Amino acid sequence: MRKSLHRASTVALSLALVSGTAAALAPTASAATSSTCTYNITDYGATVDGNGVNYRNGPGTTYYSKGLLYTGDRLKVICGKGNWYYSQLTRRSKSHLASGTHGWIRKDMLATLAG
């Protein structure tokens, strides 16, 4: 009985892997990182100027939002692409995104950018 239960769970896991269920755990090929940047901005501090600003997974409105940022949330800007900056939250956001979270924000949504 015990051996057949083990075999059944092994078969179920194998089927899940083959059917692609485990693929959802892997990062997508379109997931943006700092390697998407076309220019560098070395460790500049910035403050968000706007309420309900999307903090995105990539440099554009077609990328999903990780959450919202609000006036006064602080970021460290790392690099950019076009009108978008790749950044890292320097402390927990007002919407409770964790400190250290990386994401993309449109540069016109920032009040300050200082080195």
Side-chain angles (χ1 to χ4, degrees):
M1 174 79 171
R2 185 178 195 145
K3 190 173 184 178
S4 61
L5 181 62
H6 176 70
R7 184 175 301 148
S9 48
T10 302
V11 169
L13 178 60
S14 298
L15 288 173
L17 291 171
V18 170
S19 71
T21 305
L25 302 175
T28 63
S30 65
T33 63
S34 62
S35 63
T36 306
C37 292
T38 56
Y39 57 90
N40 289 324
I41 301 171
T42 308
D43 296 333
Y44 277 84
T47 305
V48 174
D49 182 25
N51 288 317
V53 176
N54 284 304
Y55 199 44
R56 297 190 179 273
N57 189 44
T61 57
T62 58
Y63 291 89
Y64 77 87
S65 177
K66 293 182 171 194
L68 300 175
L69 300 179
Y70 292 88
T71 298
D73 282 337
R74 295 185 184 213
L75 305 165
K76 177 175 76 170
V77 177
I78 300 166
C79 60
K81 179 176 184 176
N83 291 325
W84 293 83
Y85 289 143
Y86 181 71
S87 60
Q88 179 181 25
L89 285 168
T90 58
R91 61 183 177 197
R92 188 179 185 137
S93 73
K94 292 179 181 179
S95 65
H96 306 290
L97 289 173
S99 176
T101 301
H102 288 87
W104 289 84
I105 186 169
R106 261 190 10 232
K107 67 180 176 180
D108 63 333
M109 295 289 105
L110 300 177
T112 58
L113 183 64

XYZ file of all heavy atoms in Angstrom:
855
model
N 0.819 -1.184 0.000
C 0.000 0.000 0.000
C 0.867 1.254 0.000
O 0.647 2.162 -0.773
C -0.918 -0.044 1.224
C -1.712 1.191 1.431
S -3.125 1.207 0.325
C -3.990 2.570 0.947
N 1.863 1.290 0.865
C 2.739 2.444 0.986
C 3.525 2.662 -0.297
O 3.689 3.796 -0.744
C 3.666 2.230 2.178
C 4.530 3.393 2.460
C 5.377 3.128 3.688
N 5.934 4.381 4.137
C 6.140 4.715 5.359
N 5.830 3.888 6.321
N 6.657 5.866 5.671
N 4.023 1.585 -0.914
C 4.793 1.679 -2.140
C 3.929 2.203 -3.290
O 4.365 3.032 -4.078
C 5.388 0.313 -2.492
C 6.390 0.362 -3.608
C 7.047 -0.987 -3.767
C 8.119 -0.927 -4.823
N 8.810 -2.164 -4.983
N 2.683 1.762 -3.375
C 1.805 2.219 -4.454
C 1.410 3.683 -4.260
O 1.239 4.419 -5.219
C 0.569 1.338 -4.571
O -0.179 1.385 -3.385
N 1.285 4.148 -3.008
C 1.000 5.554 -2.742
C 2.172 6.423 -3.175
O 1.986 7.472 -3.795
C 0.692 5.754 -1.260
C 0.350 7.181 -0.837
C -0.906 7.657 -1.555
C 0.133 7.244 0.669
N 3.375 5.985 -2.867
C 4.582 6.706 -3.277
C 4.663 6.774 -4.807
O 4.962 7.818 -5.373
C 5.828 6.024 -2.694
C 7.109 6.653 -3.150
N 7.492 7.906 -2.738
C 8.068 6.207 -3.989
C 8.652 8.202 -3.312
N 9.020 7.185 -4.073
N 4.385 5.641 -5.462
C 4.425 5.583 -6.920
C 3.375 6.529 -7.521
O 3.640 7.236 -8.477
C 4.199 4.164 -7.414
C 4.339 4.047 -8.923
C 4.226 2.629 -9.417
N 5.258 1.801 -8.806
C 5.128 0.510 -8.513
N 4.012 -0.111 -8.773
N 6.102 -0.170 -7.959
N 2.175 6.574 -6.934
C 1.096 7.440 -7.436
C 1.483 8.915 -7.313
O 1.243 9.710 -8.218
C -0.197 7.164 -6.688
N 2.096 9.298 -6.209
C 2.496 10.697 -6.061
C 3.651 11.042 -6.989
O 3.720 12.147 -7.510
C 2.827 11.042 -4.611
O 3.671 10.111 -4.037
N 4.536 10.103 -7.256
C 5.623 10.334 -8.209
C 5.069 10.517 -9.611
O 5.486 11.406 -10.348
C 6.624 9.154 -8.178
O 7.127 9.011 -6.859
C 7.767 9.385 -9.144
N 4.096 9.707 -9.984
C 3.458 9.817 -11.303
C 2.737 11.157 -11.419
O 2.830 11.848 -12.430
C 2.499 8.635 -11.549
C 1.633 8.877 -12.779
C 3.278 7.337 -11.694
N 2.023 11.577 -10.370
C 1.287 12.848 -10.392
C 2.260 14.019 -10.557
O 2.011 14.945 -11.329
C 0.469 13.009 -9.120
N 3.384 13.996 -9.853
C 4.393 15.041 -9.976
C 4.976 15.053 -11.377
O 5.139 16.113 -11.979
C 5.493 14.849 -8.926
C 6.638 15.853 -8.969
C 6.118 17.272 -8.757
C 7.676 15.508 -7.930
N 5.270 13.892 -11.914
C 5.815 13.801 -13.271
C 4.848 14.372 -14.293
O 5.234 15.096 -15.203
C 6.140 12.351 -13.630
O 7.126 11.852 -12.767
N 3.557 14.051 -14.150
C 2.545 14.580 -15.073
C 2.443 16.098 -14.976
O 2.297 16.791 -15.974
C 1.189 13.945 -14.806
C 1.046 12.488 -15.227
C -0.290 11.917 -14.752
C 1.169 12.352 -16.736
N 2.539 16.631 -13.772
C 2.479 18.085 -13.599
C 3.669 18.755 -14.278
O 3.529 19.786 -14.925
C 2.457 18.433 -12.112
N 4.836 18.152 -14.143
C 6.026 18.708 -14.780
C 5.930 18.650 -16.293
O 6.249 19.607 -16.996
C 7.287 17.975 -14.299
C 7.671 18.216 -12.855
C 8.792 17.267 -12.441
C 8.086 19.647 -12.638
N 5.460 17.536 -16.820
C 5.334 17.362 -18.264
C 4.265 18.291 -18.828
O 4.416 18.861 -19.894
C 5.031 15.884 -18.613
C 4.659 15.729 -20.072
C 6.225 15.013 -18.275
N 3.177 18.478 -18.105
C 2.079 19.307 -18.615
C 2.385 20.787 -18.565
O 1.641 21.585 -19.099
C 0.801 19.020 -17.839
O 0.915 19.532 -16.530
N 3.478 21.166 -17.937
C 3.870 22.572 -17.926
C 3.458 23.321 -16.683
O 3.658 24.516 -16.594
N 2.870 22.642 -15.715
C 2.472 23.317 -14.492
C 3.672 23.948 -13.804
O 3.598 25.052 -13.307
C 1.784 22.325 -13.529
O 0.710 21.707 -14.230
C 1.267 23.030 -12.304
N 4.797 23.284 -13.830
C 5.995 23.817 -13.188
C 6.576 24.990 -13.959
O 7.315 25.784 -13.410
C 7.044 22.731 -13.039
N 6.221 25.139 -15.214
C 6.751 26.251 -16.011
C 6.309 27.596 -15.448
O 6.968 28.604 -15.638
C 6.324 26.120 -17.465
N 5.194 27.633 -14.747
C 4.717 28.882 -14.164
C 5.668 29.398 -13.101
O 5.673 30.576 -12.794
C 3.332 28.678 -13.570
N 6.490 28.545 -12.548
C 7.441 28.954 -11.533
C 8.680 29.601 -12.125
O 9.382 30.340 -11.449
C 7.858 27.742 -10.689
C 6.720 27.001 -9.986
C 7.269 25.766 -9.286
C 6.022 27.910 -9.004
N 8.969 29.362 -13.371
C 10.162 29.906 -14.005
C 9.891 31.327 -14.477
O 8.782 31.666 -14.845
C 10.548 29.035 -15.204
N 10.927 32.202 -14.464
C 10.721 33.555 -14.958
C 10.441 33.542 -16.450
O 10.950 32.701 -17.182
C 12.050 34.257 -14.649
C 13.021 33.192 -14.364
C 12.258 31.960 -13.983
N 9.620 34.478 -16.896
C 9.301 34.546 -18.317
C 10.450 35.171 -19.091
O 11.245 35.932 -18.546
C 8.040 35.389 -18.552
O 8.299 36.719 -18.127
C 6.850 34.829 -17.816
N 10.509 34.869 -20.364
C 11.578 35.414 -21.199
C 11.461 36.921 -21.330
O 12.449 37.605 -21.561
C 11.542 34.759 -22.574
N 10.252 37.465 -21.165
C 10.071 38.903 -21.313
C 10.252 39.665 -20.000
O 10.133 40.872 -19.976
C 8.684 39.198 -21.874
O 7.700 38.797 -20.950
N 10.528 38.954 -18.911
C 10.717 39.639 -17.636
C 11.915 40.570 -17.731
O 13.011 40.166 -18.091
C 10.916 38.624 -16.517
N 11.682 41.826 -17.439
C 12.722 42.838 -17.602
C 13.600 42.929 -16.360
O 13.136 42.791 -15.244
C 12.094 44.177 -17.885
N 14.856 43.184 -16.567
C 15.812 43.408 -15.494
C 16.660 44.610 -15.878
O 16.422 45.249 -16.891
C 16.730 42.185 -15.304
O 17.481 42.007 -16.502
C 15.937 40.940 -14.994
N 17.681 44.887 -15.079
C 18.545 46.019 -15.398
C 19.277 45.817 -16.722
O 19.739 46.777 -17.325
C 19.551 46.255 -14.265
O 20.385 45.136 -14.122
N 19.374 44.580 -17.213
C 20.045 44.336 -18.490
C 19.255 44.928 -19.659
O 19.776 45.062 -20.755
C 20.263 42.837 -18.712
O 19.027 42.174 -18.792
N 18.001 45.323 -19.427
C 17.176 45.969 -20.444
C 17.570 47.430 -20.621
O 17.211 48.059 -21.599
C 15.685 45.874 -20.037
O 15.380 44.510 -19.786
C 14.769 46.391 -21.101
N 18.304 47.988 -19.669
C 18.677 49.400 -19.693
C 19.543 49.741 -20.900
O 20.324 48.923 -21.361
C 19.446 49.767 -18.424
S 18.441 49.714 -16.946
N 19.390 50.989 -21.360
C 20.228 51.483 -22.450
C 21.198 52.560 -21.981
O 22.085 52.955 -22.719
C 19.367 52.033 -23.605
O 18.498 53.044 -23.101
C 18.560 50.916 -24.250
N 21.004 53.056 -20.750
C 21.965 53.992 -20.168
C 21.995 53.818 -18.656
O 21.035 53.356 -18.055
C 21.659 55.451 -20.547
C 20.282 55.944 -20.174
C 20.037 56.541 -18.934
C 19.209 55.827 -21.060
C 18.778 56.999 -18.601
C 17.948 56.289 -20.734
C 17.739 56.878 -19.504
O 16.486 57.332 -19.168
N 23.130 54.145 -18.046
C 23.318 53.973 -16.608
C 23.124 55.279 -15.861
O 23.469 56.344 -16.362
C 24.719 53.436 -16.296
C 24.880 52.005 -16.720
O 23.949 51.220 -16.614
N 26.049 51.656 -17.204
N 22.592 55.177 -14.674
C 22.482 56.277 -13.719
C 22.961 55.672 -12.411
O 22.283 54.833 -11.840
C 21.033 56.771 -13.583
C 20.495 57.239 -14.917
C 20.944 57.866 -12.544
C 19.017 57.546 -14.904
N 24.116 56.063 -11.957
C 24.718 55.394 -10.816
C 24.157 55.872 -9.491
O 24.441 56.972 -9.041
C 26.253 55.582 -10.830
O 26.732 55.196 -12.101
C 26.918 54.753 -9.763
N 23.338 55.027 -8.886
C 22.852 55.207 -7.512
C 22.326 56.602 -7.188
O 22.741 57.210 -6.217
C 23.952 54.818 -6.529
C 24.312 53.357 -6.630
O 23.443 52.560 -7.024
O 25.453 53.005 -6.310
N 21.409 57.090 -7.979
C 20.768 58.366 -7.683
C 19.526 58.115 -6.853
O 18.769 57.186 -7.108
C 20.382 59.099 -8.973
C 21.522 59.867 -9.582
C 22.433 59.242 -10.411
C 21.682 61.223 -9.321
C 23.488 59.942 -10.971
C 22.729 61.937 -9.881
C 23.623 61.285 -10.700
O 24.668 61.982 -11.246
N 19.310 58.993 -5.873
C 18.118 58.899 -5.071
C 16.977 59.646 -5.750
O 17.201 60.634 -6.443
N 15.763 59.178 -5.572
C 14.608 59.828 -6.166
C 13.406 59.683 -5.244
O 13.333 58.759 -4.443
C 14.293 59.209 -7.524
N 12.471 60.631 -5.377
C 11.235 60.613 -4.615
C 10.067 60.609 -5.595
O 10.054 61.378 -6.552
C 11.150 61.863 -3.708
O 12.309 61.914 -2.896
C 9.923 61.802 -2.822
N 9.093 59.760 -5.339
C 7.911 59.655 -6.205
C 7.051 60.909 -6.032
O 6.862 61.407 -4.925
C 7.095 58.387 -5.861
C 5.798 58.335 -6.653
C 7.932 57.143 -6.110
N 6.541 61.413 -7.149
C 5.646 62.568 -7.145
C 4.357 62.190 -7.862
O 4.205 62.401 -9.062
C 6.307 63.755 -7.846
C 5.438 65.006 -7.825
O 4.596 65.125 -6.924
O 5.601 65.863 -8.716
N 3.449 61.585 -7.153
C 2.171 61.166 -7.726
C 1.573 60.065 -6.885
O 2.287 59.344 -6.190
N 0.280 59.961 -6.927
C -0.407 58.928 -6.151
C -0.959 57.857 -7.066
O -1.561 58.156 -8.090
C -1.523 59.552 -5.310
C -0.955 60.346 -4.156
O -0.022 59.898 -3.493
N -1.498 61.518 -3.908
N -0.703 56.609 -6.703
C -1.172 55.484 -7.504
C -0.336 55.272 -8.752
O -0.836 54.871 -9.791
N 0.983 55.518 -8.643
C 1.901 55.349 -9.769
C 2.285 53.871 -9.859
O 2.745 53.284 -8.881
C 3.167 56.219 -9.576
C 4.155 55.979 -10.690
C 2.792 57.692 -9.488
N 2.119 53.281 -11.033
C 2.471 51.870 -11.220
C 3.978 51.667 -11.155
O 4.745 52.414 -11.767
C 1.965 51.378 -12.581
C 0.480 51.137 -12.578
O -0.025 50.378 -11.757
N -0.231 51.770 -13.488
N 4.389 50.647 -10.410
C 5.787 50.224 -10.334
C 5.844 48.938 -11.138
O 5.350 47.902 -10.715
C 6.174 50.006 -8.874
C 7.655 50.006 -8.598
C 8.500 50.952 -9.162
C 8.206 49.068 -7.729
C 9.854 50.963 -8.872
C 9.555 49.077 -7.436
C 10.378 50.033 -8.009
O 11.725 50.044 -7.729
N 6.414 49.005 -12.329
C 6.246 47.947 -13.325
C 7.418 46.980 -13.421
O 8.519 47.264 -12.995
C 5.971 48.565 -14.681
C 4.667 49.352 -14.704
C 4.275 49.748 -16.100
N 3.023 50.465 -16.112
C 1.827 49.906 -16.171
N 1.706 48.610 -16.262
N 0.738 50.638 -16.162
N 7.138 45.860 -14.072
C 8.118 44.809 -14.306
C 9.017 45.119 -15.503
O 10.017 44.448 -15.702
C 7.379 43.481 -14.538
C 8.309 42.313 -14.564
O 9.203 42.214 -13.740
N 8.114 41.416 -15.506
N 8.705 46.117 -16.286
C 9.499 46.472 -17.453
C 9.253 47.905 -17.856
O 8.358 48.569 -17.340
N 10.046 48.402 -18.799
C 9.996 49.816 -19.187
C 8.886 50.135 -20.192
O 9.149 50.447 -21.350
C 11.379 50.044 -19.794
C 11.734 48.716 -20.389
C 11.152 47.703 -19.456
N 7.647 50.071 -19.760
C 6.527 50.398 -20.627
C 5.207 50.017 -19.979
O 5.166 49.224 -19.037
N 4.126 50.561 -20.510
C 2.811 50.304 -19.928
C 2.282 48.911 -20.248
O 1.294 48.487 -19.665
C 1.793 51.359 -20.391
O 1.747 51.346 -21.815
C 2.169 52.743 -19.893
N 2.941 48.197 -21.141
C 2.510 46.829 -21.444
C 3.013 45.823 -20.414
O 2.561 44.683 -20.394
C 2.980 46.387 -22.842
O 4.400 46.474 -22.902
C 2.357 47.257 -23.920
N 3.940 46.217 -19.564
C 4.448 45.341 -18.509
C 3.523 45.420 -17.301
O 2.917 46.460 -17.017
C 5.863 45.749 -18.098
C 6.883 45.483 -19.178
C 7.163 46.441 -20.141
C 7.551 44.273 -19.236
C 8.100 46.198 -21.145
C 8.490 44.018 -20.226
C 8.751 44.984 -21.175
O 9.676 44.732 -22.152
N 3.434 44.323 -16.549
C 2.522 44.305 -15.408
C 3.046 45.171 -14.269
O 4.232 45.424 -14.151
C 2.224 42.870 -14.945
C 3.313 42.206 -14.145
C 3.382 42.366 -12.773
C 4.260 41.408 -14.752
C 4.376 41.755 -12.023
C 5.257 40.797 -14.016
C 5.312 40.972 -12.653
O 6.291 40.387 -11.910
N 2.108 45.609 -13.449
C 2.437 46.432 -12.289
C 2.709 45.533 -11.087
O 1.931 44.627 -10.793
C 1.275 47.373 -11.983
O 1.535 48.129 -10.821
N 3.808 45.799 -10.393
C 4.124 45.068 -9.164
C 3.328 45.620 -7.993
O 3.187 44.972 -6.970
C 5.617 45.199 -8.856
C 6.504 44.505 -9.855
C 7.953 44.651 -9.435
C 8.829 43.778 -10.315
N 10.158 43.615 -9.765
N 2.878 46.859 -8.144
C 2.139 47.545 -7.097
C 2.152 49.031 -7.375
O 2.686 49.481 -8.392
N 1.576 49.778 -6.466
C 1.476 51.226 -6.650
C 2.416 51.955 -5.707
O 2.650 51.519 -4.580
C 0.040 51.680 -6.402
C -1.018 51.054 -7.310
C -2.404 51.504 -6.880
C -0.762 51.392 -8.768
N 2.932 53.088 -6.185
C 3.769 53.966 -5.376
C 3.032 55.282 -5.172
O 2.173 55.662 -5.972
C 5.107 54.215 -6.060
C 5.963 52.975 -6.337
C 7.256 53.363 -7.037
C 6.266 52.212 -5.052
N 3.394 55.975 -4.095
C 2.721 57.213 -3.731
C 3.736 58.304 -3.425
O 4.908 58.027 -3.153
C 1.814 56.966 -2.518
C 0.647 56.070 -2.875
C 0.758 54.680 -2.797
C -0.538 56.606 -3.343
C -0.296 53.863 -3.157
C -1.599 55.789 -3.711
C -1.469 54.427 -3.618
O -2.511 53.624 -3.989
N 3.259 59.562 -3.462
C 4.113 60.717 -3.199
C 4.932 60.486 -1.932
O 4.386 60.123 -0.889
C 3.257 61.989 -3.061
O 2.582 62.215 -4.294
C 4.112 63.204 -2.730
N 6.226 60.677 -2.055
C 7.133 60.512 -0.919
C 7.839 59.170 -0.868
O 8.843 59.031 -0.163
N 7.359 58.160 -1.608
C 8.082 56.883 -1.649
C 9.463 57.137 -2.243
O 9.617 57.930 -3.177
C 7.329 55.847 -2.488
C 6.147 55.225 -1.752
O 6.134 55.236 -0.500
O 5.234 54.724 -2.435
N 10.470 56.469 -1.702
C 11.857 56.726 -2.108
C 12.458 55.553 -2.863
O 12.255 54.406 -2.502
C 12.705 57.057 -0.892
C 12.234 58.349 -0.267
C 13.131 58.753 0.842
N 12.561 59.954 1.451
C 13.295 60.897 1.970
N 14.601 60.784 1.980
N 12.718 61.940 2.504
N 13.229 55.914 -3.893
C 13.860 54.935 -4.773
C 15.329 55.254 -4.962
O 15.747 56.398 -4.828
C 13.202 54.983 -6.166
C 11.704 54.818 -6.258
C 11.228 55.248 -7.631
C 11.333 53.380 -6.006
N 16.072 54.234 -5.324
C 17.443 54.399 -5.817
C 17.374 54.068 -7.300
O 17.062 52.943 -7.675
C 18.404 53.460 -5.097
C 19.835 53.546 -5.632
C 20.784 52.688 -4.825
C 20.598 51.227 -5.180
N 21.614 50.339 -4.622
N 17.643 55.065 -8.157
C 17.592 54.854 -9.605
C 18.915 54.260 -10.059
O 19.988 54.751 -9.714
C 17.295 56.177 -10.346
C 17.305 55.964 -11.839
C 15.949 56.734 -9.899
N 18.847 53.182 -10.826
C 20.022 52.419 -11.235
C 20.389 52.686 -12.691
O 21.550 52.898 -13.022
C 19.780 50.918 -11.001
C 19.504 50.684 -9.512
C 20.939 50.074 -11.508
C 18.920 49.333 -9.179
N 19.385 52.681 -13.568
C 19.634 52.891 -14.996
C 18.316 53.218 -15.680
O 17.278 53.291 -15.025
C 20.292 51.668 -15.622
S 19.308 50.145 -15.501
N 18.364 53.404 -16.987
C 17.136 53.770 -17.672
C 17.062 53.262 -19.098
O 18.042 52.790 -19.677
N 15.859 53.403 -19.643
C 15.604 53.096 -21.047
C 14.507 54.046 -21.499
O 13.380 53.985 -20.986
C 15.166 51.648 -21.235
C 14.881 51.306 -22.690
C 14.552 49.847 -22.871
C 14.375 49.569 -24.365
N 14.157 48.157 -24.613
N 14.834 54.933 -22.432
C 13.868 55.929 -22.876
C 13.417 56.791 -21.716
O 14.238 57.342 -20.987
N 12.110 56.883 -21.522
C 11.542 57.692 -20.435
C 11.269 56.888 -19.172
O 10.476 57.312 -18.335
C 10.234 58.351 -20.902
C 10.480 59.404 -21.940
O 11.478 60.103 -21.895
N 9.581 59.511 -22.896
N 11.910 55.736 -19.034
C 11.688 54.859 -17.893
C 12.976 54.649 -17.116
O 14.053 54.547 -17.692
C 11.158 53.506 -18.365
C 9.784 53.608 -18.945
C 9.458 53.962 -20.216
C 8.559 53.385 -18.268
N 8.098 53.962 -20.373
C 7.522 53.602 -19.197
C 8.227 52.998 -16.974
C 6.177 53.459 -18.862
C 6.896 52.843 -16.645
C 5.882 53.081 -17.581
N 12.850 54.584 -15.785
C 13.978 54.307 -14.909
C 13.780 52.967 -14.210
O 12.695 52.676 -13.692
C 14.125 55.366 -13.829
C 14.605 56.717 -14.301
C 14.094 57.873 -13.736
C 15.575 56.839 -15.288
C 14.537 59.118 -14.129
C 16.019 58.069 -15.695
C 15.501 59.214 -15.112
O 15.945 60.444 -15.514
N 14.867 52.180 -14.185
C 14.907 50.942 -13.401
C 15.421 51.335 -12.028
O 16.440 52.023 -11.903
C 15.835 49.927 -14.062
C 15.916 48.605 -13.331
C 14.848 47.725 -13.333
C 17.065 48.243 -12.650
C 14.918 46.504 -12.672
C 17.154 47.028 -11.992
C 16.070 46.168 -12.003
O 16.148 44.963 -11.347
N 14.718 50.929 -10.971
C 15.063 51.409 -9.639
C 14.810 50.350 -8.574
O 14.301 49.263 -8.861
C 14.239 52.663 -9.329
O 12.863 52.365 -9.386
N 15.165 50.725 -7.348
C 14.982 49.854 -6.188
C 14.407 50.688 -5.059
O 14.882 51.807 -4.798
C 16.335 49.275 -5.779
C 16.292 48.385 -4.575
C 17.675 47.868 -4.210
O 18.684 48.483 -4.531
N 17.711 46.748 -3.536
N 13.381 50.178 -4.399
C 12.822 50.871 -3.244
C 13.850 50.890 -2.119
O 14.424 49.852 -1.782
C 11.550 50.181 -2.756
C 10.306 50.395 -3.604
C 9.196 49.431 -3.187
C 9.824 51.823 -3.489
N 14.090 52.065 -1.534
C 15.068 52.167 -0.450
C 14.451 51.913 0.913
O 15.155 51.721 1.889
C 15.762 53.539 -0.447
O 14.776 54.564 -0.317
C 16.555 53.741 -1.726
N 13.124 51.937 0.959
C 12.395 51.552 2.169
C 11.003 51.091 1.753
O 10.599 51.284 0.609
C 12.334 52.688 3.180
C 11.646 53.920 2.684
C 11.694 55.008 3.734
N 11.091 56.227 3.222
C 11.260 57.402 3.735
N 12.040 57.543 4.781
N 10.672 58.449 3.220
N 10.300 50.478 2.659
C 8.957 49.969 2.362
C 8.085 51.106 1.818
O 8.075 52.207 2.353
C 8.348 49.401 3.636
C 7.060 48.694 3.411
C 6.542 48.136 4.728
N 5.356 47.359 4.462
C 5.101 46.198 5.007
N 5.926 45.688 5.884
N 4.003 45.557 4.702
N 7.342 50.816 0.754
C 6.494 51.846 0.148
C 5.222 52.042 0.974
O 4.866 51.212 1.805
C 6.124 51.461 -1.287
O 5.175 50.412 -1.290
N 4.529 53.129 0.688
C 3.271 53.409 1.383
C 2.210 52.351 1.081
O 1.284 52.157 1.851
C 2.767 54.797 1.013
C 3.666 55.894 1.561
C 3.179 57.267 1.160
C 4.127 58.323 1.712
N 3.711 59.681 1.327
N 2.360 51.656 -0.061
C 1.429 50.573 -0.403
C 1.944 49.208 0.070
O 1.404 48.178 -0.299
C 1.184 50.545 -1.911
O 2.387 50.216 -2.588
N 3.027 49.224 0.845
C 3.598 48.041 1.490
C 4.427 47.145 0.573
O 4.616 45.968 0.884
C 2.522 47.222 2.219
C 1.742 48.038 3.193
N 2.281 48.519 4.364
C 0.463 48.511 3.147
C 1.380 49.233 5.008
N 0.266 49.248 4.285
N 4.938 47.687 -0.541
C 5.938 46.926 -1.298
C 7.202 46.902 -0.454
O 7.565 47.908 0.165
C 6.224 47.585 -2.652
C 5.121 47.491 -3.706
C 5.474 48.341 -4.915
C 4.918 46.052 -4.121
N 7.888 45.790 -0.441
C 9.056 45.617 0.423
C 10.234 46.489 0.004
O 10.459 46.716 -1.186
C 9.489 44.154 0.417
N 10.967 46.936 0.987
C 12.230 47.626 0.725
C 13.119 46.693 -0.082
O 13.171 45.496 0.182
C 12.904 47.968 2.057
O 14.164 48.541 1.838
N 13.800 47.230 -1.090
C 14.667 46.408 -1.924
C 14.000 45.901 -3.189
O 14.650 45.332 -4.050
N 12.670 46.100 -3.317
C 11.951 45.672 -4.513
C 12.436 46.465 -5.718
O 12.542 47.687 -5.661
C 10.430 45.862 -4.342
O 9.991 45.097 -3.227
C 9.669 45.434 -5.592
N 12.748 45.768 -6.810
C 13.168 46.409 -8.053
C 11.976 46.570 -8.984
O 11.089 45.725 -9.006
C 14.232 45.572 -8.768
C 15.557 45.608 -8.097
N 15.888 44.736 -7.097
C 16.626 46.420 -8.280
C 17.124 45.007 -6.685
N 17.583 46.030 -7.385
N 11.988 47.649 -9.763
C 10.924 47.867 -10.725
C 11.224 49.050 -11.620
O 12.264 49.704 -11.501
N 10.293 49.322 -12.521
C 10.419 50.405 -13.501
C 9.353 51.468 -13.236
O 8.216 51.149 -12.916
C 10.239 49.851 -14.908
C 11.377 49.002 -15.358
C 11.565 47.675 -15.089
C 12.481 49.405 -16.158
N 12.718 47.235 -15.682
C 13.296 48.281 -16.351
C 12.856 50.609 -16.749
C 14.468 48.320 -17.091
C 14.018 50.659 -17.492
C 14.814 49.516 -17.652
N 9.761 52.735 -13.388
C 8.859 53.859 -13.195
C 9.156 54.904 -14.266
O 10.315 55.095 -14.656
C 9.006 54.446 -11.770
C 7.960 55.524 -11.496
C 10.414 54.929 -11.513
C 7.887 55.940 -10.024
N 8.100 55.564 -14.759
C 8.301 56.641 -15.734
C 9.001 57.791 -15.065
O 8.668 58.166 -13.937
C 6.951 57.120 -16.284
C 6.600 56.543 -17.596
C 5.403 57.177 -18.276
N 4.885 58.394 -17.690
C 3.599 58.577 -17.377
N 2.720 57.622 -17.593
N 3.195 59.710 -16.862
N 9.981 58.385 -15.742
C 10.789 59.415 -15.102
C 9.994 60.665 -14.749
O 10.351 61.368 -13.815
C 12.030 59.746 -15.914
C 11.826 60.406 -17.228
C 13.189 60.644 -17.875
C 13.084 61.211 -19.250
N 14.430 61.410 -19.830
N 8.878 60.939 -15.433
C 8.089 62.113 -15.080
C 7.246 61.897 -13.817
O 6.555 62.803 -13.369
C 7.210 62.563 -16.248
C 6.176 61.539 -16.675
O 6.405 60.325 -16.472
O 5.133 61.950 -17.207
N 7.328 60.719 -13.217
C 6.626 60.434 -11.965
C 7.523 60.651 -10.750
O 7.154 60.318 -9.633
C 6.097 58.993 -11.957
C 5.042 58.714 -13.002
S 3.475 59.516 -12.636
C 3.467 60.860 -13.788
N 8.705 61.225 -10.968
C 9.646 61.472 -9.887
C 9.795 62.967 -9.642
O 9.900 63.748 -10.592
C 11.015 60.861 -10.223
C 11.017 59.350 -10.452
C 12.399 58.878 -10.855
C 10.544 58.609 -9.205
N 9.794 63.364 -8.372
C 9.926 64.776 -8.006
C 11.385 65.198 -8.005
O 11.728 66.300 -8.422
C 9.311 65.026 -6.629
N 12.263 64.332 -7.533
C 13.673 64.683 -7.432
C 14.530 63.556 -7.941
O 14.149 62.389 -7.909
C 14.077 64.961 -5.963
O 13.797 63.793 -5.187
C 13.328 66.148 -5.391
N 15.693 63.906 -8.419
C 16.701 62.926 -8.813
C 18.037 63.548 -8.455
O 18.471 64.509 -9.089
C 16.630 62.617 -10.314
C 17.585 61.553 -10.840
C 17.260 60.196 -10.211
C 17.490 61.455 -12.349
N 18.645 63.055 -7.387
C 19.880 63.657 -6.902
C 20.902 62.589 -6.554
O 20.565 61.524 -6.060
C 19.590 64.499 -5.662
N 22.158 62.881 -6.841
C 23.237 61.946 -6.575
C 23.846 62.089 -5.237
O 23.601 62.890 -4.430
